Amino acid sequence: MNRILLASAFLLVSISAGFADGIPSAAPAAVGPVSAMVSPVPAAISPAPKAPAPKLVEPHLHIARSNVAGHARIALTFDACMGQADERILSTLVRERIPATIFVTARWLKRNPAALAVFLQNPDLFELENHGQNHIPAVDTPTLIYGIASAGSPQAVRQEVEGGAAAMVAAGIPPPHWFRGSTAKYDLSAIGEIRAMGYRIAGYSVNGDGGSLLGAVITEKRIASARDGDVVISHINQPTHAAGEGVAKALVDLKAKGTQFVRLEDVEDTGDDKTTE
């Protein structure tokens, strides 16, 4: 009997010791460096470095000055990106016989046959030029500009330019000689590619309507600030925006002051970033 009790006691002690081995005890006194007491953790894998953002330029363009006091020479340029024609601006240009250069996309042409007819019926007023096929920034590396994805490759830049020109010719418009890309921003390599295609690239010197997002009063003031030799950019495709009202009023005011309005094809010009050289 004593042997049985002794064996049972021994078994109980062994089991208790086994459980105790699996329970962490209080932290031991430090022996050697902390790193020797901690299991090694694999170093985090660094993400692949991002490609550097392309260097973008927003070229300026000026035309030859009149150098006649009281008769500043200004080139009005309008982008017709998407959407509908702004009749407030179009009717003012026709009524006041004010010439302008209109940059149209293939997308805009499809939606605005009536406005296109007005342009074609007034060849003495309107010069129609290329704003691209789908209103994609003419940048040949992937990036976002104002939230718009760039063309992203030389082939895509070429398609944007050639697609816009093809749509213009199909609509009965003479082949274009000028190109202005969406956002008016480019990388230098894309500028070289577009120039090699035979186009001059239309920058500007006065941003009239801030992408058609400005109010009527500030738009009017901006356009009214144009000086001899300036090229003004505004938009003719946002009839619900207040900016169009300011554009129309500024045109009338400038005409009353004796301003000489010209199209890009009618005057010598100078653009930076090798856009017209």
Side-chain angles (χ1 to χ4, degrees):
M1 183 67 176
N2 290 335
R3 289 180 179 178
I4 295 174
L5 291 175
L6 182 60
S8 298
F10 180 79
L11 179 61
L12 179 61
V13 170
S14 299
I15 294 173
S16 299
F19 276 113
D21 287 342
I23 300 174
S25 61
V31 180
V34 173
S35 60
M37 298 185 292
V38 180
S39 299
V41 177
I45 300 175
S46 301
K50 293 182 179 179
K55 178 183 178 182
L56 302 181
V57 296
E58 192 167 356
H60 294 92
L61 179 66
H62 288 84
I63 58 171
R65 299 176 180 178
S66 72
N67 292 319
V68 178
H71 295 281
R73 178 184 293 156
I74 295 173
L76 298 173
T77 68
F78 292 93
D79 288 358
C81 313
M82 294 169 281
Q84 302 295 327
D86 191 333
E87 290 295 336
R88 297 169 298 180
I89 300 173
L90 181 54
S91 62
T92 299
L93 292 170
V94 174
R95 183 182 67 250
E96 300 293 332
R97 308 309 293 170
I98 296 176
T101 302
I102 316 293
F103 287 85
V104 297
T105 67
R107 297 174 67 175
W108 188 88
L109 288 174
K110 290 180 181 179
R111 299 187 61 179
N112 294 274
L116 174 59
V118 174
F119 289 147
L120 295 178
Q121 290 164 5
N122 292 274
D124 59 321
L125 293 182
F126 300 115
E127 171 191 0
L128 300 180
E129 296 293 352
N130 190 357
H131 197 32
Q133 182 176 20
N134 291 308
H135 200 247
I136 296 173
V139 175
D140 60 17
T141 55
T143 190
L144 288 176
I145 307 173
Y146 304 133
I148 304 175
S150 66
S153 70
Q155 295 78 12
V157 169
R158 175 173 289 275
Q159 178 58 45
E160 175 70 1
V161 177
E162 291 183 341
M168 294 177 68
V169 173
I173 303 170
H177 303 287
W178 286 87
F179 176 80
R180 175 182 285 157
S182 167
T183 75
K185 291 181 181 290
Y186 316 82
D187 54 353
L188 296 178
S189 54
I191 287 176
E193 293 156 13
I194 297 167
R195 291 288 290 125
M197 295 170 67
Y199 287 90
R200 301 169 80 79
I201 297 175
Y204 61 90
S205 57
V206 175
N207 187 336
D209 63 0
S212 83
L213 299 177
L214 297 178
V217 174
I218 186 63
T219 296
E220 180 185 354
K221 289 181 178 179
R222 282 196 176 194
I223 297 177
S225 71
R227 298 292 181 260
D228 197 13
D230 273 334
V231 175
V232 179
I233 182 177
S234 298
H235 292 74
I236 197 169
N237 66 303
Q238 296 290 356
T240 64
H241 291 192
E245 177 185 346
V247 172
K249 191 172 188 307
L251 299 183
V252 174
D253 292 344
L254 284 173
K255 181 181 178 182
K257 293 179 180 179
T259 300
Q260 176 189 355
F261 299 102
V262 296
R263 303 171 299 183
L264 292 182
E265 67 180 352
D266 297 330
V267 66
E268 294 182 357
D269 53 75
T270 303
D272 56 16
D273 297 307
K274 298 183 179 180
T275 50
T276 61
E277 293 178 3

